[in-house]
Amino acid sequence: MGLFKRVKNVMLADLHDFVDKLEDPISMTKQYLRELEGQIEKGRSALAQQIAVEQRYEQLIEQAKEMIEKRTRQAKLAVERNEETIAKMALQEKIVYEKKLSSYQQQYKALKEKTTYLTEQLKQLQDKYEELKTKQLDLIARAHAAKAIKDINASLVSFSPDYALKGFARMEERILALEAEAKASSYVYESTKPLHLDPLLQEEVKKELVQLKAAK
């Protein structure tokens, strides 16, 4: 085996090994993307729940503010009417709602921070998904190109130029034989073809024939 052919076989073996190893990573990228899609879906669900809780706290804060204003008005009205007991009860409820409002606002702030964090994380996850999706297309294209090169080189390895050259030589011999047969058939045809003399030229032909005989 020549040096060139040995090097070529080594290169082909390396290429085959590369393609075989590449097929599994491509399948794995699909699995990774499916897992990432699942994480994104979970992230969207968690964000939706977070926003729903956030909206609930917005309602609680608004209700607490309304109750504080309402109990403040009631306490003022009771004082104006010298209804001290009612004023104390109104003020007591006002204080309770103020404490609730403070607690709601603190929790709402924490929820908002968590919502912002979840939103950013989800965006990063989606951006990464799009990036990997593009990367996957690149890997698939490269895998297909490598496989095409593998198939072409496999065809080149199996192709034998000696076989083709011998085949052409046989065809040339066959054509030469056909040409010889055609030439031979033309010769036979010409030799067996009856002679037709032109009546108008007979006198001239006879004169030249006499001259040829006399010159002998």
Side-chain angles (χ1 to χ4, degrees):
M1 183 186 295
L3 177 61
F4 174 75
K5 192 165 186 179
R6 285 201 299 271
V7 172
K8 186 176 182 181
N9 288 341
V10 170
M11 291 176 64
L12 285 174
D14 290 343
L15 183 61
H16 294 167
D17 184 60
F18 168 74
V19 173
D20 290 340
K21 289 181 179 178
L22 192 60
E23 289 175 353
D24 285 339
I26 290 299
S27 299
M28 290 305 298
T29 60
K30 294 179 181 179
Q31 179 61 32
Y32 294 150
L33 286 176
R34 283 193 292 269
E35 291 177 0
L36 200 52
E37 287 171 357
Q39 292 298 321
I40 290 173
E41 188 58 34
K42 289 180 181 178
R44 287 174 178 167
S45 178
L47 182 59
Q49 293 176 9
Q50 186 73 14
I51 291 173
V53 174
E54 188 178 298
Q55 290 174 343
R56 175 58 182 159
Y57 269 87
E58 288 174 354
Q59 293 175 351
L60 290 173
I61 289 171
E62 189 60 31
Q63 289 172 1
K65 288 180 178 179
E66 290 175 358
M67 291 303 296
I68 289 169
E69 292 177 3
K70 183 176 180 181
R71 293 298 181 255
T72 299
R73 290 195 303 270
Q74 289 175 343
K76 287 181 179 179
L77 183 59
V79 169
E80 289 173 1
R81 295 178 178 178
N82 294 319
E83 297 175 345
E84 189 173 327
T85 303
I86 294 176
K88 285 180 179 180
M89 290 177 61
L91 290 172
Q92 179 177 292
E93 282 198 41
K94 171 181 170 293
I95 292 170
V96 170
Y97 276 106
E98 285 176 342
K99 292 182 182 298
K100 286 184 178 181
L101 176 60
S102 177
S103 176
Y104 292 158
Q105 288 174 331
Q106 289 178 7
Q107 293 179 48
Y108 180 74
K109 182 180 178 181
L111 285 169
K112 286 291 288 184
E113 290 175 354
K114 189 173 182 181
T115 299
T116 300
Y117 174 78
L118 279 174
T119 302
E120 292 174 353
Q121 290 296 305
L122 184 58
K123 184 179 183 305
Q124 290 179 13
L125 205 58
Q126 289 173 327
D127 290 344
K128 181 57 66 175
Y129 176 81
E130 294 302 326
E131 178 186 339
L132 293 178
K133 191 75 173 175
T134 302
K135 183 68 175 177
Q136 182 198 40
L137 294 176
D138 176 63
L139 289 175
I140 290 174
R142 287 165 60 188
H144 288 169
K147 187 177 185 303
I149 293 172
K150 167 191 167 185
D151 293 341
I152 290 171
N153 286 330
S155 298
L156 290 174
V157 168
S158 63
F159 175 73
S160 173
D162 291 340
Y163 176 78
L165 291 173
K166 290 178 181 178
F168 269 80
R170 287 197 303 272
M171 293 304 100
E172 186 176 12
E173 290 176 1
R174 179 58 181 160
I175 291 171
L176 288 172
L178 289 173
E179 289 175 342
E181 291 175 3
K183 188 174 181 179
S185 65
S186 297
Y187 175 78
V188 171
Y189 171 74
E190 292 295 332
S191 62
T192 58
K193 185 171 64 174
L195 182 63
H196 296 284
L197 299 176
D198 189 341
L200 299 176
L201 300 176
Q202 288 304 303
E203 289 301 323
E204 294 181 22
V205 169
K206 286 179 181 180
K207 288 180 181 180
E208 291 195 12
L209 180 62
V210 169
Q211 290 175 1
L212 287 175
K213 289 180 178 180
K216 293 174 66 177

